[in-house]
Amino acid sequence: MRKLSLLFMAFFAFTALIAQEVPTNWTLATADISVVEETTTVSEGTSAMSVTWTSDANQDILSDVFNVTEGASFSYTLDVYDFDLAGRVRMAISFSTGNQWGDYSVDTDAWQNLTFEGTVPAGATTAQIRLRFYDVSTDWAGTATVIIDNASYTENGGSNLLLNPSFETWGAPVLNPALSVTAPTNNATVAVDNVDIVFSTENFELGTDGSLEYILNGGTAQYATASPVNVAGLTEGANTIVMQLVDMSNAALDPVVTVTRTVNYEIPSTDPALTITFPADASTIYAADVNITFTVENFDLGTDGKIAYSVDGGATAYHTTTDAIELTGLSYAEHTVDFELVDMSDLSLDPVVETSVTFTCAEALPGGMETFE
């Protein structure tokens, strides 16, 4: 290993402004991270990768995917120059069966070699190196920088399986396709049996690079090359729509780009309904006159039928407008008013639609004051 001295932080500020490329065979997997080619402070060869991130959320860089052998003994090593109190990097391997995590770098004005050894898990067929960058909360200042070099992954003492392990080759970044679905929102509720999917793509031209595949409730795949697209045939209750970008042969991309939405279809009720809005049940009215207000749904008063009502089990009266029902001269006592929707022949509906309200009429206090009840 060799270390070339430099004015560390000043050089980072300069290189961050002029470099836009990334090392080939490596991908910036998160948004708040950037890299520049480092040619002064290197551990192996003539180049290293200087990494800067500006978020306290986890930031990742991934290697290309490579094949692994189930049960093999692996050794993953990495050289890190971590002379920044604000951040650190952690070793990880993303096997096809899940992530395995190694050591963190430590703050030191020197190259350090991190080593992570283990056994390829059962069922794993592929893997990729995951470089994960963290802030160190006690020293976080909104930005952190470390230098990475000389990555190696071997199995059973064999050759390095990583491409461009020392970051010697740089080029334009590979921009991965992305799918964004703005409507419907997840767990949205609709009152019709269809829904419009409003979507957009990045780094993927619909109709040229491929299309949007969407599958409703595990059914037949459908394809669209323009937004929005209407998905019909929702069933009452929860519906699952799985969407993904596919190529012109309708094959899934690698890596897969997918979004899932759940849409709840609630069939609106068409049954007549009657609701008393005033007075509230068990309330006290400080008057002998009461105006009862109500709402009616799916029923046209005067055309579909009437409201039949009676006070305290007395004679039935009928009401055919949406105006309040006026009750006058009630005694200062408890009263129950029964209501029912009937047809124009005064016959009950099938099924019966009825409700009631009970309230107490009380004499107002002298001076027109009422109790705080």
Side-chain angles (χ1 to χ4, degrees), residues 18 38 49 52 60 107 165 180 205 237 295 314 328 362 366:
I18 61 173
E38 170 62 53
M49 177 171 61
T52 299
D60 291 345
D107 293 315
S180 176
E205 185 175 351
T295 60
T328 60

Side-chain angles (χ1 to χ4, degrees), residues 20-34:
Q20 301 295 326
E21 296 183 331
V22 298
T24 57
N25 308 110
W26 296 83
T27 301
L28 307 187
T30 50
D32 298 315
I33 193 168
S34 60

Side-chain angles (χ1 to χ4, degrees), residues 157-182:
S159 59
N160 192 353
L161 299 182
L162 301 181
L163 299 176
N164 196 21
S166 295
F167 314 108
E168 299 295 307
T169 305
W170 289 67
V174 176
L175 302 177
N176 290 328
L179 171 63
S180 176
V181 177
T182 55

